[in-house]
Amino acid sequence: MATSQAEQSPDTSLLKVLGNWDALALGFGAMIGFGWVVLTGGWIASAGTMGAVLAMVTGGAIMAVVGLTYAELTAAMPKAGGEHNFLLRGMGPRWSFIGSWAITGGYITIVAFEAVALPRTAQYLFPDLSQIPLWEVAGYQVHLTWALVGAVAAVVITGINILGVKLAGAAQTFVVVFLLVIGLVLVFGSITGGAASNMEPFFTGGLNGYFAVLVVVPFLFVGFDVIPQSAEEVNIPARQIGRLVVVAVLLATVWYVMTVVTTSSAMPAGDIAQADIATADAMGALFGSDIMAKILIAGGIAGILTSWNSLLLGASRLMYSMARSGMLPAWFGKLHPKYRTPANALLFVGVLSFIAPFFGVSMLGWLVDSGAPSIVIAYILVSVVFVILRRREPNMDRPLRVGGRGNGGIAIGIAAVVLCVGLLSLYLPGMPAALTPPPWILFGLWWLLGLVLFFRIPAGIAPGEDSEHRLLERLKQRRQEATRSS
């Protein structure tokens, strides 16, 4: 019987070194990236204060329902790769590839987004950052010094992750604590210096404004599923791993609502609409200090680093798991001989994030829009496989069982499918938040590459508990046949 790479020898397995707080910091930090700093003003302008809050609460509720399906499946299958393992057991290797490829694409777009967002944020602190012009992209001039800020950070963060998940987890914890302190300061400033009158109008833009905010939800909330990706490296009970998924989603919802309310309380809506980075300007207005605005920008940079670190970890673990199952070239499944991290997968994602800043500010919007549909596709498939496994394997060991043993759990799974399909439809042509051509091009290129890899996967392997072992046997047999024929 063939065994997976992780089962062959202790020297080729991932290290179980993360605790409760480490896992929660990874999930929460992944969701709280740069969007809360740079996008909040647009949310308020599009939907009004309460319209934006309503969209965030709706989005948080959708993600919480999806998170419940992840919680049960993660507790039942605490292996690196999350979605990859769920879909492999419930729907077989080809569906597993589609879901894994979808969420990996979403992760990589956000990692690249953060690499562009970092110099964008740094320029708020250092207005003369842009020196040595290179070229224009979509009307924006790209400067060498500006791009190098993101590129150098890509090298550092990738290096930290290669050196070990414990170091990456410790760095994540430190930065998340700093981020929470910034949030508390913002709340204090809103209570002492904000005004309810500034929050008017509460609703603007009607349904179009509401949907304009709702469609960014997959991009904002992606990251809770980093906890399943790192499940093999978490040294806590499986049931607790599942619970942390839902806790992370609830905390992120509270964070985004807090950001909208505190920002809108600081300045009239007209001033927010004209602000360069509304949340930072709001912080400065609440305390009457430019220094406080810069401190909030430091919080934004902390958010960039937490999201970047978490999703780089998540993307690399997914690619490692896919390579371990033969869905990607074996090169992606090799662990560092000393640190036992998926170094090659980390390098691949790191190189993409190194390149992204050289495409300039235009990439921010394109990356947000191109990654979101892939993320929702993955959530739909996980919700579907949750229902399939509930029906086909009712006695499967489930340390955490959501909705009880009856039809309550299946109802949660069906609700997650319906909600995510509705969310996906918002990106289609003719809808209020239809995507523009550049994001569709990036989306198409990712899936074109995926199509090439898709046909490398052996068909005819029935889903089930040992489907990974049977997939590895089939791949081994195929390699032996190729050797004999040559």
Side-chain angles (χ1 to χ4, degrees):
M1 173 69 72
T3 56
S4 68
Q5 183 178 346
E7 293 167 331
Q8 289 172 4
S9 161
D11 295 331
T12 58
S13 61
L14 298 167
L15 293 172
K16 281 187 171 294
V17 293
L18 300 177
N20 266 300
W21 174 251
D22 296 317
L24 183 59
L26 283 171
F28 174 73
M31 289 183 277
I32 309 303
F34 185 58
W36 67 279
V37 176
V38 74
L39 301 178
T40 302
W43 301 337
I44 296 169
S46 296
T49 301
M50 291 298 107
V53 166
L54 181 60
M56 285 300 157
V57 171
T58 304
I62 294 172
M63 291 299 106
V65 173
V66 176
L68 288 171
T69 68
Y70 269 84
E72 178 172 303
L73 293 170
T74 301
M77 290 171 270
K79 298 173 65 179
E83 294 91 342
H84 169 75
N85 302 300
F86 310 157
L87 293 166
L88 189 60
R89 178 160 179 171
M91 298 172 72
R94 288 193 165 176
W95 283 109
S96 177
F97 174 84
I98 292 171
S100 302
W101 191 251
I103 200 67
T104 301
Y107 284 174
I108 289 175
T109 59
I110 299 176
V111 170
F113 172 92
E114 305 300 2
V116 181
L118 183 61
R120 168 73 176 84
T121 310
Q123 191 153 31
Y124 190 96
L125 299 176
F126 307 102
D128 296 328
L129 178 63
S130 295
Q131 303 292 330
I132 313 176
L134 296 176
W135 44 70
E136 282 193 10
V137 177
Y140 287 92
Q141 180 69 51
V142 181
H143 293 83
L144 177 62
T145 51
W146 186 94
L148 282 176
V149 171
V152 171
V155 173
V156 172
I157 294 176
T158 303
I160 288 173
N161 274 269
I162 290 174
L163 290 175
V165 69
K166 186 61 179 177
L167 177 60
Q172 183 82 353
T173 298
F174 174 79
V175 179
V176 165
V177 169
F178 176 71
L179 186 62
L180 292 174
V181 171
I182 295 294
L184 290 174
V185 172
L186 190 57
V187 170
F188 176 78
S190 180
I191 293 171
T192 58
S197 59
N198 287 336
M199 298 168 68
E200 299 177 357
F202 294 121
F203 295 94
T204 60
L207 281 177
N208 285 349
Y210 169 79
F211 285 131
V213 179
L214 185 62
V215 293
V216 302
V217 161
F219 189 87
L220 295 175
F221 280 83
V222 69
F224 69 84
D225 39 317
V226 169
I227 297 174
Q229 312 310 339
S230 58
E232 259 182 62
E233 297 160 279
V234 178
N235 192 24
I236 58 177
R239 179 182 178 88
Q240 183 65 12
I241 300 173
R243 286 175 172 170
L244 290 176
V245 173
V246 180
V247 171
V249 172
L250 296 177
L251 288 175
T253 304
V254 171
W255 180 272
Y256 285 123
V257 169
M258 177 275 296
T259 302
V260 171
V261 172
T262 54
T263 300
S264 66
S265 72
M267 301 182 294
D271 293 343
I272 289 176
Q274 295 175 4
D276 181 25
I277 298 181
T279 310
D281 290 348
M283 180 80 130
L286 288 171
F287 289 93
S289 168
D290 289 339
I291 293 176
M292 295 304 292
K294 295 184 186 302
I295 289 175
L296 186 127
I297 288 295
I301 292 174
I304 290 170
L305 297 177
T306 58
S307 179
W308 192 340
N309 186 57
S310 291
L311 294 169
L312 175 60
L313 185 148
S316 64
R317 269 54 177 182
L318 264 166
M319 300 187 87
Y320 164 75
S321 295
M322 293 171 75
R324 190 166 64 173
S325 295
M327 295 181 182
L328 290 180
W331 183 83
F332 289 99
K334 292 184 178 179
L335 296 179
H336 191 283
K338 179 178 180 181
Y339 304 112
R340 285 158 60 186
T341 51
N344 290 350
L346 285 164
L347 284 172
F348 174 79
V349 182
V351 168
L352 293 178
S353 60
F354 180 91
I355 295 169
F358 291 93
F359 288 88
V361 175
S362 302
M363 284 294 287
L364 286 173
W366 296 346
L367 290 167
V368 170
D369 291 341
S370 67
S374 291
I375 293 165
V376 180
I377 289 170
Y379 290 164
I380 291 171
L381 290 176
V382 170
S383 302
V384 168
V385 83
F386 173 88
V387 175
I388 288 173
L389 288 174
R390 271 298 187 102
R391 290 186 179 279
R392 195 178 66 213
E393 299 187 44
N395 296 321
M396 183 175 77
D397 183 24
R398 293 176 170 87
L400 176 63
R401 187 182 294 268
V402 303
R405 289 186 172 272
N407 292 326
I410 292 176
I412 290 172
I414 293 172
V417 173
V418 171
L419 290 169
C420 288
V421 168
L423 202 55
L424 184 63
S425 70
L426 298 178
Y427 301 104
L428 300 177
M431 298 299 288
L435 301 186
T436 56
W440 279 125
I441 291 171
L442 291 175
F443 176 86
L445 289 173
W446 179 251
W447 283 100
L448 183 62
L449 177 59
L451 187 65
V452 173
L453 297 169
F454 178 80
F455 290 106
R456 297 176 65 251
I457 302 168
I461 299 175
E465 183 175 3
D466 63 340
S467 49
E468 182 174 349
H469 295 303
R470 283 178 285 146
L471 178 61
L472 288 164
E473 286 281 13
R474 177 72 64 84
L475 290 164
K476 181 180 178 181
Q477 181 182 2
R478 178 178 286 185
R479 286 194 294 268
Q480 290 172 343
E481 291 172 353
T483 302
R484 285 195 297 268
S485 65
S486 62

